[in-house]
């Protein structure tokens, strides 16, 4: 055993185990329904966020919008780092320890401390960078927004651990809706770029609206900052998710850097944003699967099988619709000046598919603590994705970059799949994979042919396929939806804070029945 393995083993041994609780399989967690719901909500968040950007582009002056766009890009990076550092480690603690327990309160305290400390650092860095580009007022607004973005991630992790995915989705939607409303106020009051950036701060009020039990678990316990294993786990998860997030967005950044200001580069960026649709699906599946896989007593094979089945259905439909979209349809949501780049959409959709596979597999490997396989896979992914972009640029500039991005991302996804295969063996996907691949290929071919023959026919088939998958995952079709898995929960009374139904212990039910009979 080498030194790194000894360090990992020592850190694992220092972690408190889940408290011993009498459990019974009393709840079904519908992975498909929650994954689909979160994917749709993430898409809605993207649409509303895009509307905010479009509003500012049209209503702000050129100088103000340039400053706002730069600030929004900086805050986007802050959001990526914040989402990687805080929610998932906290969701694990919440999932395995009951409400009011000492370890849960320690975990909440640690996540809040990390959020505040990282938020202060982010505020100092982003404020300093913005000050070099804009006015002190705008720099102060960016610093405040960076701090708040970090702070509100602790409630998000708590909601994930409690499996309150509906509340989580509504919270994220509420965040961008508040930002949109505040953006309208900025336009009316003529507050300029600084006021527009404050919209990020206003939006962050929504994630703070969580069940009161979160605040009951919140305690002042600075000693948790001295526990090395917490820092080790947080750094492991944060480093992996930051790498995945950077890979997902690197094509947009690199093409803008290499071909800054050209219509081709702007068209690539606009289409690449749309083509990331499969990544929204991956985010939904990852949010559901991570806390479940960290929960004691859960059947890992069932969770993995249900997660991959749900992810596969959603991601194939999303990829098929984006990749086969006829120019007449895709041109409706893409500005006229970028229509010359519509031919890149199938390649960019393929890259979105590869990034989605990377995100799901990386998150699941983290949940199963297969850190080494995950790190090796992402190291290979960095080489493949960056190499694909560089070779594509050298061969055919922007168009070549789209092809290189697709080849690099898909290959990276395949490499990580091979590395993860031994860990995921309990899912028993081999028997169903062949039939699923045939159906997926048939759907793509049918949509491609329909797009070539008649765009309206393509629109009808695309709508039917999307609605059918979502309806199936919500159990609304006659065919049985078997994506539910049993999760063992604590026996006892119903929790007022979580609203989960709990069942009485068998011996209590028996004693009560004897009393009624007598």
């Amino acid at each position: 055993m080498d030194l790194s393995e000894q360090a990992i083993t020592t850190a694992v041994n220092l972690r408190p185990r889940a408290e011993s609780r009498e459990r019974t399989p009393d709840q079904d967690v519908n992975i498909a329904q929650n994954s689909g719901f979160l994917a749709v909500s993430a898409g809605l968040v993207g649409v509303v966020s895009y509307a905010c950007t479009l509003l500012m582009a049209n209503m702000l002056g050129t100088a103000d919008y340039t400053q706002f766009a730069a600030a929004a890009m900086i805050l986007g990076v802050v959001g990526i780092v914040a989402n990687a550092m805080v929610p998932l480690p906290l969701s694990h603690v919440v999932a395995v320890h009951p409400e009011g327990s000492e370890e849960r309160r320690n975990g909440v305290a640690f996540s809040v401390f990390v959020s505040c400390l990282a938020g202060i650092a982010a505020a100092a860095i982003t404020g300093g960078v913005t000050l070099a580009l804009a006015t002190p007022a705008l720099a102060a607004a960016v610093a405040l927004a960076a701090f708040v973005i970090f702070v509100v991630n602790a409630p998000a992790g708590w909601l994930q651990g409690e499996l309150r995915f509906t509340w989580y989705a509504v919270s994220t939607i509420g965040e961008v809706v508040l930002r949109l409303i505040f953006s309208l106020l900025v336009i009316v009051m003529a507050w300029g770029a600084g006021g527009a950036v404050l919209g990020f701060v206003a939006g962050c009020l929504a994630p703070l609206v969580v069940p009161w039990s979160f605040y009951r678990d919140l305690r002042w316990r600075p000693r948790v900052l001295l526990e090395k294993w917490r820092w080790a786990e947080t750094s492991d998860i944060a480093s992996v998710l930051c790498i995945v997030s950077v890979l997902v967005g690197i094509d947009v950044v690199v093409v803008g850097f290499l071909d800054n200001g050209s219509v081709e580069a702007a068209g690539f960026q606009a289409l690449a944003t749309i083509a990331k649709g499969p990544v929204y699906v991956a985010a939904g599946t990852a949010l559901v699967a991570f806390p479940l896989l960290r929960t004691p007593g859960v059947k890992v094979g069932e969770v993995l099988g249900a997660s991959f089945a749900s992810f596969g259905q959603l991601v194939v439909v999303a990829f098929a619709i984006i990749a086969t979209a006829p120019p007449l349809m895709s041109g409706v949501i893409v500005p006229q000046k970028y229509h010359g780049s519509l031919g890149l959409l199938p390649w960019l959709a393929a890259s979105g598919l590869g990034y989605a596979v990377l995100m799901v597999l990386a998150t699941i490997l983290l949940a199963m603590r297969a850190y080494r396989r995950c790190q090796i896979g992402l190291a290979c992914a960095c080489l493949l994705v960056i190499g694909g972009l560089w070779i594509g640029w050298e061969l055919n500039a922007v168009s070549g970059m789209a092809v290189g991005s697709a080849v690099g991302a898909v290959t990276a996804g395949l490499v990580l799949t091979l590395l993860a295969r031994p860990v995921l063996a309990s899912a028993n996907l081999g028997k169903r994979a062949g039939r699923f691949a045939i159906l997926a290929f048939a759907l793509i071919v049918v949509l491609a042919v329909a797009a070539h023959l008649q765009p309206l026919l393509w629109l009808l088939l695309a709508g039917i396929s999307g609605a059918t998958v979502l309806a199936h995952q919500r159990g609304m079709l006659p065919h049985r939806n078997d994506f539910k898995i049993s999760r063992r929960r604590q026996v006892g009374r119903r929790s007022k804070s979580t609203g989960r139904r709990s069942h009485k212990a068998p011996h209590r039910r028996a004693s009560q029945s004897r009393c009624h009979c007598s």
Side-chain angles (χ1 to χ4, degrees), residues 39-316:
V40 171
S41 68
L44 183 58
V45 167
V47 170
V48 178
S49 182
Y50 182 75
C52 292
T53 303
L54 194 61
L55 178 66
M56 292 303 170
N58 287 292
M59 301 303 295
L60 291 178
T62 303
D64 274 341
Y65 178 72
T66 300
Q67 294 182 351
F68 168 76
M73 181 185 68
I74 294 172
L75 293 177
V77 175
V78 170
I80 290 171
V81 177
N83 286 325
M85 284 190 68
V86 180
L88 288 187
L90 178 58
S91 72
H92 161 63
V93 174
V94 173
V96 302
H97 297 285
E99 177 188 339
S101 64
E102 288 300 303
E103 183 52 33
R104 180 186 278 212
R105 289 176 175 175
N106 287 340
V108 172
F110 180 78
S111 68
V112 172
F113 278 127
V114 169
S115 298
C116 292
L117 293 174
I120 292 172
I125 294 171
T126 57
V129 171
T130 308
L131 187 60
L133 305 173
T135 62
L138 182 60
V142 170
L144 177 61
F147 175 77
V148 174
I149 287 173
F150 263 96
V151 171
V152 300
N153 269 275
W158 185 89
L159 289 173
Q160 292 172 32
E162 281 286 305
L163 306 185
R164 289 179 168 241
F165 299 115
T166 300
W167 196 308
Y168 176 85
V170 172
S171 176
T172 55
I173 294 172
E175 182 176 353
V176 292
V177 170
L178 279 178
R179 184 152 65 90
L180 178 60
I181 295 173
F182 195 87
S183 298
L184 296 174
L185 179 63
V186 169
I187 298 302
V188 172
M189 302 298 292
W191 287 344
V197 170
L198 288 178
F200 288 89
V201 179
C204 288
L205 295 175
L208 295 176
V209 181
V210 292
W212 187 248
S213 53
F214 166 79
Y215 295 101
R216 284 202 298 266
D217 283 332
L218 187 59
R219 292 291 187 274
W220 174 260
R221 295 182 176 179
R223 68 176 185 277
V224 297
L225 294 174
L226 301 178
E227 297 177 349
K228 295 181 180 180
W229 68 266
R230 295 188 188 276
W231 289 105
E233 182 170 56
T234 298
S235 62
D236 285 336
I237 294 175
S239 61
V240 167
L241 293 184
C242 281
I243 291 173
V244 173
S245 299
V246 169
L247 288 176
V248 169
I250 193 171
D251 53 352
V252 175
V253 176
V254 170
V255 75
F257 174 77
L258 294 177
D259 204 21
N260 186 29
S262 73
V263 175
E264 291 79 8
F268 180 105
Q269 293 171 318
L271 291 171
T273 302
I274 298 171
K276 297 295 192 299
V279 178
Y280 296 142
V281 175
T285 302
L287 286 176
V288 177
F290 187 91
L292 286 175
L293 289 170
R294 288 290 181 95
T295 302
V298 76
K299 295 180 179 179
V300 174
E302 288 186 4
V303 176
L304 292 177
S307 298
F308 286 126
S310 171
F311 169 71
Q313 288 188 358
L314 288 167
V315 81
V316 165

Side-chain angles (χ1 to χ4, degrees), residues 417-454:
T417 300
L418 292 175
L419 289 172
R421 187 175 178 180
V423 179
L424 309 179
S426 59
N428 294 323
L429 300 176
K431 297 179 180 179
R432 294 171 289 178
R435 183 176 63 179
F436 177 77
I438 294 173
L439 293 175
F441 181 75
L443 175 64
I444 295 171
V445 170
V446 168
L447 287 177
V449 172
H452 180 72
L453 296 177
Q454 177 54 257

